[in-house]
Amino acid sequence: MLISMRDVEVHFELRASAVARLIGGASETIKAVDGVNLDLRRGEVLGLVGESGSGKTTLGRALLGLVRPTSGTIEYAGQDISELPERQLRALRQRLQMVFQDPHASLNPSMDLLTAIGHPLRIQKLVHSKEELRQRVVEALERVGLTPAEQFLAKLPSELSGGQKQRAVIARSIICGPELLVADEPISMLDMSVRAKILQLMLDLKGDLDLTYAYITHDLATAKFFCDRVAIMYLGRVVELGPTEQIFADPKHPYTRALLKAIPDPDPDRHVPRDLPRGEIPDAAAPPHGCAFHPRCPFAFEPCGWEARDLRALFERRWIDLGEQALAEEAPLVAALDDVAPGQAEVRLPTPSGRSIGELTALFDATRAELPDDPIWRGVESVSPEGDELVVRFREGIDPGLLSLDGVDVACHLHDPSLNPTQVSPSRS
């Protein structure tokens, strides 16, 4: 095992505005990485896959100490690197390196390649003469395919194409002889014509230099080609982890299934059903209660963690269909949903001034009649009037942990036999 991560969390505090602080407003916390347990095996390519905002880049930076974990441990070579002082981390970066997403921003525009690529050797004090530095840079350039290397030594980044810049960035990352490369979407900003060549170069380097990769991407098509294992991330957590071939052949988590269906089909005449998840990835400062994916999941059921904002989203979908008049008439009836704290098992909606409890009850009845198959109704235990309030009670929400299933780890209640998810799992739908 090369690196072992246990309960890693990376949270960022968003400071409230000056006015908000004056009136006692609290700051928000972005849970960019929220309790990740992951092992990186020596010599493998592990893909960290997910939408923008899933936490994959933050996790990759935490692996190198570029971001300090809020809690948890990242063990490498028998020590927890999450607690090391910067001086010791700098020494470790000889063995742990990163390839950044944008090759145009990764190179100093005023440095020629000899200076830029040789700079890590100077920082780590690995060379003792200009001639030795030059020779090491030439070897690195030749290894990444920038030949003849002597013609590139004096070039500035502005004189290179995008693919050549990324090759130069890779040369800089390998020049100190690292064990691990964290590659953060290394081909996403390159032309389609050179993407496959860069990935093949990285595979060749892996074999020649005995490298281990953490490959960060939102593109499952390249992950299938490049990775030995993939970890599917959603809102700061790993929701599915396993061998690439197995996950592509039989995805267990509804989010993974949705990502696979989103892969473009090269045949324009073939119509493939997409069934993409509704809505967008939620706010990491206020993640959904229970399973973070449940607001977008067509298979969500009782224990997935329903709450007031799910009801609000349901009514908003209704108003989109019915138009502005329905919005104007009905929105005041459920305006109190906006003030309910996340995760409340019981929601009490008071009747607005000038309106009746009958109107509020009728709105719920009509919405349920119009959208009877919406997953939220599986999580609503009861809706009942009490005086001038309508009380909505939700079933208990449970935060899913990773379960081992046929060689794959998946965080989904659909695969927990103790919860008895009858008639809702993807395999039976």
Side-chain angles (χ1 to χ4, degrees):
M1 202 67 64
L2 183 66
I3 290 183
S4 182
M5 292 171 274
R6 291 292 174 267
D7 301 319
V8 174
E9 295 184 347
V10 182
H11 297 173
F12 299 104
E13 293 291 333
L14 291 181
R15 295 187 64 187
S17 67
V19 174
R21 290 198 299 272
L22 284 173
I23 62 176
S27 61
E28 291 185 310
T29 300
I30 299 290
K31 298 180 179 180
V33 177
D34 191 21
V36 168
N37 293 283
L38 202 58
D39 292 324
L40 188 55
R41 302 165 184 166
R42 190 177 299 275
E44 76 168 346
V45 180
L46 174 65
L48 302 176
V49 182
E51 294 172 281
S52 296
S54 61
K56 54 191 187 296
T57 293
T58 302
L59 183 61
R61 289 173 176 265
L63 276 173
L64 306 181
L66 298 176
V67 173
R68 293 285 188 171
T70 307
S71 63
T73 61
I74 302 175
E75 187 172 314
Y76 168 71
Q79 57 185 335
D80 181 8
I81 64 175
S82 65
E83 297 182 346
L84 291 181
E86 183 60 33
R87 182 183 298 273
Q88 291 178 261
L89 272 177
R90 181 174 295 182
L92 273 184
R93 290 189 184 121
Q94 179 180 336
R95 291 177 280 170
L96 308 174
Q97 281 289 318
M98 189 163 193
V99 178
F100 294 95
Q101 179 177 3
D102 185 359
H104 312 290
S106 298
L107 296 170
N108 188 324
S110 65
M111 282 187 180
D112 59 35
L113 292 194
L114 174 61
T115 305
I117 296 174
H119 198 54
L121 296 175
R122 292 182 180 276
I123 293 174
Q124 298 290 345
K125 297 181 173 57
L126 297 177
V127 292
H128 302 92
S129 67
K130 291 183 179 179
E131 183 56 36
E132 185 181 0
L133 182 143
R134 180 186 177 89
Q135 183 58 37
R136 292 279 295 272
V137 173
V138 167
E139 291 174 358
L141 288 173
E142 290 178 344
R143 193 174 286 278
V144 299
L146 292 178
T147 56
E150 286 77 7
Q151 294 184 8
F152 286 91
L153 292 176
K155 286 186 179 291
L156 295 172
S158 59
E159 301 175 79
L160 305 178
S161 68
Q164 288 174 330
K165 287 180 186 177
Q166 195 62 295
R167 288 176 185 270
V169 170
I170 293 171
R172 184 178 61 186
S173 70
I174 65 171
I175 199 166
C176 291
E179 291 184 290
L180 170 69
L181 284 187
V182 177
D184 186 4
E185 307 220 35
I187 62 171
S188 65
M189 299 194 69
L190 303 179
D191 293 340
M192 294 297 295
S193 59
V194 299
R195 291 185 178 187
K197 294 178 182 178
I198 296 296
L199 286 180
Q200 187 58 55
L201 168 65
M202 293 176 68
L203 285 176
D204 293 341
L205 291 173
K206 174 180 177 292
D208 294 342
L209 303 177
D210 193 25
L211 292 172
T212 302
Y213 287 115
Y215 178 65
I216 298 166
T217 184
H218 65 274
D219 183 0
L220 271 169
T222 61
K224 182 178 183 181
F225 165 76
F226 191 62
C227 300
D228 302 310
R229 290 191 302 148
V230 292
I232 307 296
M233 294 192 66
Y234 187 79
L235 216 62
R237 295 192 174 189
V238 174
V239 297
E240 188 163 359
L241 170 66
T244 304
E245 183 177 349
Q246 190 169 346
I247 285 183
F248 272 77
D250 183 23
K252 299 289 193 296
H253 199 283
Y255 179 58
T256 309
R257 294 165 64 91
L259 288 180
L260 290 173
K261 288 182 177 181
I263 297 176
D265 194 300
D267 186 351
D269 297 323
R270 183 162 52 197
H271 298 285
V272 180
R274 294 300 179 192
D275 298 331
L276 301 182
R278 62 191 181 188
E280 299 180 352
I281 191 167
D283 184 359
H289 176 57
C291 173
F293 188 62
H294 84 261
R296 307 174 69 191
C297 180
F299 308 106
F301 63 116
E302 287 87 340
C304 290
W306 303 98
E307 54 185 327
R309 51 186 159 176
D310 297 319
L311 272 179
R312 178 71 186 187
L314 177 71
F315 289 123
E316 288 174 351
R317 291 194 293 273
R318 167 186 166 86
W319 298 329
I320 289 173
D321 292 335
L322 296 182
E324 292 184 7
Q325 184 176 351
L327 171 63
E329 292 177 355
E330 297 174 357
L333 288 169
V334 292
L337 287 174
D338 294 335
D339 300 324
V340 178
Q344 296 295 309
E346 181 179 285
V347 176
R348 290 183 170 269
L349 298 178
T351 304
S353 177
R355 309 296 289 268
S356 69
I357 189 66
E359 289 179 275
L360 188 52
T361 303
L363 172 58
F364 271 78
D365 292 341
T367 303
R368 187 161 195 164
E370 292 165 8
L371 301 168
D373 297 326
D374 195 282
I376 191 173
W377 300 119
R378 300 176 189 137
V380 174
E381 187 173 83
S382 65
V383 179
S384 58
E386 293 184 9
D388 61 353
E389 293 181 325
L390 190 67
V391 182
V392 182
R393 294 182 177 88
F394 295 103
R395 302 185 189 279
E396 181 184 2
I398 302 173
D399 189 358
L402 285 171
L403 302 170
S404 294
L405 185 69
D406 301 327
V408 172
D409 294 335
V410 57
C412 181
H413 293 321
L414 295 172
H415 302 286
D416 188 344
S418 68
L419 297 176
N420 191 27
T422 57
Q423 302 303 317
V424 293
S425 72
S427 61
R428 288 176 291 209
S429 62

